[in-house]
Amino acid sequence: MRLRPGAPPVEWRVSDDLVPYEEAVAFMEARAAAIASGEARECVWLLEHPPIYTGGSSAKEQDLLEARFPVYRTGRGGQFTYHGPKQRVAYVMLDLSRRQRDVRAFVCALESWIIASLADFGVTGERRAGRVGVWVERPEKAKGRDGEMAEDKIAAIGVRLRQWVSFHGIALNVAPDLTHFSGIAPCGVRDAHLGVTSLADLGVAADMPAVDAALRRNFEAIFGPAEDS
């Protein structure tokens, strides 16, 4: 998923204040169009949102259990998810026509990015067939009805492509209020032995700058150089 040698580095943006969802979507729409037309370089934007629920293209109404926060319908892939303070959202605007026109390979690269970043904090993140995102095993929790290992989701992935330019991206739970997820069936998952977690919930005392540094380092290893905006 790396650009060819000599290509300009990806612009790396970090917002310290909470960013309204509508503002972020408007920026991504405009930036993706500019990238596709050759008028702007690729961009990764790290931010946090106020508490919201977003529903992707596969979202089912029955999975919105209680609209405790504003609900936004969005064109990204996936189902319902939560965004809020102390969750690091990374919006990824990359031109796959200059990298690799393979959606599955791109999602796999995003998963690898998250997994490598979690490893920097001693957390083993894993993929699961049929379940998008990154999961961690929780052997201390109750098993499933058939003896399945309890697992929690620590990061969600939802992307959209337009003219082979990506937008939307990933959401990594650093230390959000996990009770906020109770208003939805996250990504349509309802099994009692499958839940959500965060670095803080796993006992990892990582602040946002440390998480951002890990994300930057591992992004560059997979996708290529980035440069501060």
Side-chain angles (χ1 to χ4, degrees), residues 168-187:
H168 297 281
I170 69 170
L172 173 61
N173 295 332
V174 179
D177 185 340
L178 295 179
T179 66
H180 289 179
F181 284 87
S182 63
I184 57 172
C187 300

Side-chain angles (χ1 to χ4, degrees), residues 10-11 13 27 31 35 41-45 91-93:
V10 175
E11 180 183 354
R13 297 167 56 97
F27 176 89
R31 186 58 174 259
I35 293 169
R41 58 178 168 152
E42 298 174 308
C43 179
V44 172
W45 186 10
Y91 287 133
V92 183
M93 292 151 273

Side-chain angles (χ1 to χ4, degrees), residues 35-57:
I35 293 169
S37 65
E39 298 173 358
R41 58 178 168 152
E42 298 174 308
C43 179
V44 172
W45 186 10
L46 273 57
L47 54 81
E48 297 169 74
H49 286 306
I52 58 169
Y53 296 130
T54 67
S57 56

Side-chain angles (χ1 to χ4, degrees), residues 20 25 32-33 35 48-49 64-65 76 79 81 89 109 114 133-134 143 147 167 192 212 225 229:
V25 171
I35 293 169
E48 297 169 74
H49 286 306
L64 180 60
L65 307 178
R76 63 160 175 79
Q79 302 185 48
T81 194
V89 172
I114 298 166
V134 176
K143 296 182 182 296
F167 52 115
D212 290 350
S229 60

